Amino acid sequence: MYRYDKYDQAIVDARVEEFRDQVARRIAGEMNDDQFKPLRLKNGLYLQLHAYMLRIAIPYGTIDSRQLRVLAHIARKYDRGYGHFTTRQNMQFNWIKLEDAPDILAELAKVEMHAIQTSGESIRNISADQFAGAAADEICDPRPWAELIRQFTTFHPEFSYLPRKFKIGLTASDNDRAAIKLHDVGLQIVRAADGEMGFRVFVGGGMGRSPFVASLVREFLPAGSICSYLEAILRVWNRHGRRDNIHKQRIKILVHDLGATEFARQVEEEWRTLQRNDDDIGLAEYDRIAAYFEPPLFERGLSDELDLSDPRFAAWVERNVDAHKQPGYAIATISLKPIGGIPGDVSADQIDLLADLAEDFSFDELRPTHAQNVVLPHVRKADLYTIWQKLDAAGLATANLDLISETIACPGLDYCSLANTRSIPLAQKISERFADPARQLDIGELKLKISGCINACGHHHAGHIGVLGVDRKGTENFQLLLGGSGAEDASLGKIVGPGFSEDGVVDAIERAVEKYRAIRTPGERFLDTYRRVGVEPFKEAIYV
Amino acid sequence: MKLITGNHLSEGHVIWWTGDGWSRHVEHAVDVGDKGEHIAQTEATACRVNNPYIIDAQPSPNGPVPNHIKERIRATGPTVRPDLILQPADQSAGSYVI
């Protein structure tokens, strides 16, 4: 994985000291909240319901054991013994004191981490396929490009005061595990017929109050032009973006208002200007960065055989283990959604265990996913049983990946100052209602996503079943959506009808699931059945 | 009744206006009537509180109970981590979040 050079380290260290001074001035009363808020947000420090919250960047979801151990240390020393993996491959701590924030950032900087690009009107932490560099179905490792874009965008003056936040997602596979079409810019790395590498460029996706699936604005962009093309996209947005209306500031609104064709035309026109200025970073810099992402030294001649005589292990392999590009290896996804647990939460001890497993069994890499799980990307199949036993002992061996109990849920009103309703208790009730492994397996792939407000951090628009929490005069109310997907077949869920109480929405979900089981055809997922029959049969079942 | 709440400036925890200062316990909060805006502005300007605002509450034998669930959660802590909630100053106060 990438290692900081002296420039990277210098700018992160300088940022820590700058923030230390700003915090001291705030505590001394030399700055009011209006003055300080934009400064703390540029360092990932939010003020939530109960305390300050620090969101730490894990660029494109790649982290190693020494970094994980520092996160565990922060959880113990500065927080309350746990952290939370977010839906953008970051980690956040919920109980931070302002006076401790500079020291925490200094400890992070020592292991090449920071909280830059995790808040504010900036280009946010770039997300990527969690199977990058390991997936059997990818054409290359997308992370060098993600790192190149990270470096290009970090502290770029033209991107420092954008109309609103801006999210970029990358994949190098036709199987979209990074939800790229629900990003402001989604990039799919492809190869042309002559072998040249390039990008399919999607723009204007996103969730929140006004959800859109991104439009394809360029079928093939030569890879070496990615920085200038991104700059052209951002310039067009900067020129026309609706800074006058917070609900219309995101680029998705601009793409929708202009139309994808006209937006693309303006981007191409702007891009030609940049090309005349020879404004691209170029392939030499890519090659420098890519050297950090050379494949690990895999052992050759390993067997692909697995002893599946332990049925619980076999069930975990069936659900949570994926094909690796290297024979004898596998990709293991660790579900952070135990039945009745809090999605994405991990204790300091569990973080240490993840560090140990990454170091001992996965070439020192761990990958947080946007679904609030983590991945050991390069595991010898012969080690899977040992890994599973260690996970099982720590309560991390739940075999429910992509099943109904593996719910994405935002922190909701238990932590978040923007939320209307709690999300976590609902996720817990749903996972308990469907706890029976055989029942979950019979239901099959069903992605359930819960957001506690319209900002959609729980990705409810992209759930096969989505739940949106709304405030009904101080009472929690939950709307049900059906038919969303964040994958390569991206679609937005539609609200079925009137909302429910917390217990009512669990019952409604169960009725929808039972309807699916009654009318599905062989091989159909819940989403497939919904797309085939439409909403009405489900609506009739839900509102009996 | 009207209460003023905000977050502690350096530590970030939830605090409530008591009439002459700030407390972590909502049961210490006082009704500020129509003086809330003035008090909140004065305290924020003096950097003694972060982001103060006024909320509605109802009196009870154990002290004020905020009307909105959000403020009741703020007063105690996350409902999903009972091990982390703020113990009431009056141990007999009980839980009233939901």
Side-chain angles (χ1 to χ4, degrees), chain A residues 309-325:
Chain A
S309 55
D310 183 331
R312 292 178 60 237
F313 172 62
W316 182 75
V317 169
E318 174 66 25
R319 287 311 319 170
N320 294 37
V321 174
D322 281 272
H324 197 284
K325 63 171 68 173

Side-chain angles (χ1 to χ4, degrees), chain A residues 413 422 474 476, chain B residues 67-73 97-98:
Chain A
L413 195 53
R422 295 169 300 149
E476 295 174 300
Chain B
N67 287 2
H68 199 282
I69 182 176
K70 176 178 180 177
E71 302 307 331
R72 296 198 296 275
I73 291 174
V97 171
I98 307 305

Side-chain angles (χ1 to χ4, degrees), chain A residues 2 7 63-64 67 74 85 143 176 194 196 254 259 283 322 334 342 344 356 417 431 434 456-457 512 533:
Chain A
Y2 184 72
Y7 302 107
I63 188 167
D64 67 19
Q67 294 171 325
I74 290 168
F85 283 109
R143 292 173 302 159
D176 182 7
D194 63 0
E196 182 184 8
L254 178 63
L283 290 172
D322 281 272
I334 300 165
I342 297 177
D356 292 344
S417 60
S431 77
F434 292 94
C457 295
V533 304

